[in-house]
Amino acid sequence: MEAVLAQVEQLPALLAVSRSTLVRDWDSLTVKRALEWARYFQHLYHRFRARPRFREAVGRRLRWSQPHSRFGFPALGRCPQLLALTLLENRALPPAACRCLLRSLLPPPLAGPGPEAPALELLARRKAAARLLPLPRCPRAGAAPGAPLRAEAQLLLRRLREERLEAAEAAGQLRWLGGILEQLPQPRVFEVVAAALAVLKQGRDSEPAGGTDREGSSPEGYQADDAGDGYIAGLLLSWLLDSQERFSAFCLCLTCSYLAFLAAHYSQLSKSYLDLLTSWGSHLHYDPLQGRWVKSCLDKAILSWEELRERFSCLCQASTLLKEQTQAALKLLRTQDGDFKVCGLSVWTDLLMEV
């Protein structure tokens, strides 16, 4: 096994070289050898995918050899396709080597497509979609997800479902997910995560704007799987709630109604959202001269009284259960604040009266 693991260590280096200008010195023979190594890694994947100990050993060896690499055992199964796409995008590859690569990928006349064709076609579609989706989508940040955002969320969810079936450990998946999401700029990353969480519920519930395209399925034929969807939602929420700063930016990015929709479906999200609103509300104080609640500390107060009231109101309108939870939280805060029933003495008293 040690000899095989030593060979697996070369996978990140192989893909790194295929992206570099070093390929300008490659000839047809070098391309064929690189593809043979890629197919060998794919062979290891199919041979050992049912052996958890080997998968874990491969993951540890790849992380040890390339600490900043996101490759894991599933990458072995896609190695020929990853290598081919990388070489096709590299303009430094000489014409003769490129022609050899194309001949290796295209099936011969009168022959059916090879086993790599479907996977290569899927990766090519994903690459094309990734290039198109960054074009302007929603007219304003926080709007309910339109078709482009839902499509982008679908790409993320399908990849997560693949990793769910193949990866050996949840911690490794969370690191992989964090590495992928942190490459996206804000607020786009929060819009994609929110859309993904909404899509996971589309099989049973309707989202704020739109809904399922067909009964029992979401756009692009995504079929709900309760166990798998719950696991994927947990991964997305773990990444989102892992950082208070990240979660705060996420909540400021989305509209009140859309956040309330997500909170109504994810109890973990609703609790953290209520805690965040509580923190924001604690930075308001009542100005008797103006007769209203104002920000007590401009560098810490995030929301105005009007914005805070709107967010609590949306939570009370999202669902009966969320309304009860929100009102119970406000009553507890009012009690802790002195249980005043007069306006202007406690922000939580005034919010209860409003919502």
Side-chain angles (χ1 to χ4, degrees):
M1 178 181 285
E2 185 60 31
V4 174
L5 292 177
Q7 293 172 336
V8 169
E9 285 184 19
Q10 306 306 315
L11 170 59
L14 173 64
L15 295 177
V17 170
S18 69
R19 289 191 295 267
S20 71
T21 57
L22 295 176
V23 299
R24 66 163 60 99
D25 299 324
W26 284 22
D27 55 15
S28 300
L29 182 59
T30 308
V31 170
K32 291 179 179 179
R33 287 176 177 173
L35 289 174
E36 287 175 358
W37 271 108
R39 294 188 182 101
Y40 171 70
F41 291 135
Q42 187 180 53
H43 167 73
L44 292 178
Y45 168 80
H46 290 295
R47 181 178 177 182
F48 297 107
R49 64 179 303 179
R51 296 173 59 177
R53 292 183 59 186
F54 183 82
R55 294 202 310 265
E56 294 174 5
V58 168
R60 287 195 302 268
R61 185 61 65 94
L62 287 173
R63 289 192 296 272
W64 176 80
S65 62
Q66 297 286 334
H68 302 292
S69 172
R70 301 184 187 93
F71 292 113
F73 181 78
L76 298 181
R78 296 187 292 267
C79 192
Q81 294 79 35
L82 293 173
L83 177 65
L85 284 179
T86 302
L87 288 174
L88 288 174
E89 289 183 331
N90 194 338
R91 296 186 177 183
L93 188 67
C98 186
R99 286 193 295 270
C100 175
L101 175 64
L102 290 173
R103 285 194 299 270
S104 301
L105 298 176
L106 295 176
L110 304 179
E116 299 174 7
L120 184 60
E121 180 183 356
L122 175 60
L123 285 176
R125 289 203 307 268
R126 286 177 173 172
K127 177 68 73 172
R131 295 291 179 86
L132 291 173
L133 289 173
L135 296 174
R137 304 177 308 277
C138 296
R140 59 191 176 91
L149 258 183
R150 286 200 301 270
E152 198 165 357
Q154 286 285 352
L155 290 174
L156 174 63
L157 290 175
R158 290 190 179 188
R159 182 66 188 278
L160 280 173
R161 288 174 70 87
E162 293 173 2
E163 295 292 327
R164 165 64 176 152
L165 293 174
E166 298 170 349
E169 54 181 82
Q173 286 188 322
L174 189 56
R175 286 193 298 268
W176 172 85
L177 176 63
I180 293 297
L181 294 178
E182 287 164 13
Q183 293 183 36
L184 298 176
Q186 297 184 12
R188 178 187 169 203
V189 61
F190 300 133
E191 295 173 349
V192 172
V193 170
L197 290 171
V199 167
L200 287 172
K201 293 297 179 181
Q202 280 187 330
R204 297 174 300 277
D205 310 294
S206 60
E207 52 177 300
T212 57
D213 291 340
R214 296 178 300 277
E215 184 177 357
S217 65
S218 62
E220 301 185 11
Y222 176 85
Q223 298 295 330
D225 176 357
D226 288 347
D229 288 356
Y231 178 84
I232 292 172
L235 277 179
L236 292 171
L237 290 172
S238 295
W239 175 82
L240 195 59
L241 301 176
D242 183 59
S243 166
Q244 181 72 12
E245 181 181 359
R246 180 187 299 148
F247 182 61
S248 177
F250 172 82
C251 293
L252 291 173
C253 164
L254 302 179
T255 61
C256 302
S257 59
Y258 196 47
L259 270 173
F261 164 78
L262 294 176
H265 289 86
Y266 298 99
S267 58
Q268 189 178 359
L269 181 64
S270 65
K271 182 182 183 303
S272 298
Y273 186 37
L274 281 171
D275 291 343
L276 186 62
L277 290 179
T278 300
S279 175
W280 287 344
S282 65
H283 294 292
L284 296 178
H285 81 278
Y286 190 78
D287 187 339
L289 297 179
Q290 300 184 48
R292 64 189 185 92
W293 291 91
V294 297
K295 297 179 179 181
S296 59
C297 187
L298 294 179
D299 60 336
K300 293 184 179 180
I302 304 297
L303 299 180
S304 66
W305 158 258
E306 291 77 14
E307 293 169 330
L308 189 67
R309 179 184 59 191
E310 182 181 5
R311 288 178 179 269
F312 275 105
S313 297
C314 286
L315 288 176
C316 290
Q317 296 168 9
S319 69
T320 302
L321 178 60
L322 190 57
K323 177 181 179 180
E324 294 173 353
Q325 293 175 346
T326 302
Q327 291 180 341
L330 287 174
K331 290 177 182 178
L332 178 61
L333 289 168
R334 181 183 64 182
T335 301
Q336 295 174 347
D337 218 10
D339 203 17
F340 297 106
K341 305 294 178 64
V342 181
C343 293
L345 294 180
S346 170
V347 65
W348 315 119
T349 298
D350 289 12
L351 279 172
L352 268 172
M353 293 180 177
E354 292 284 346
V355 303

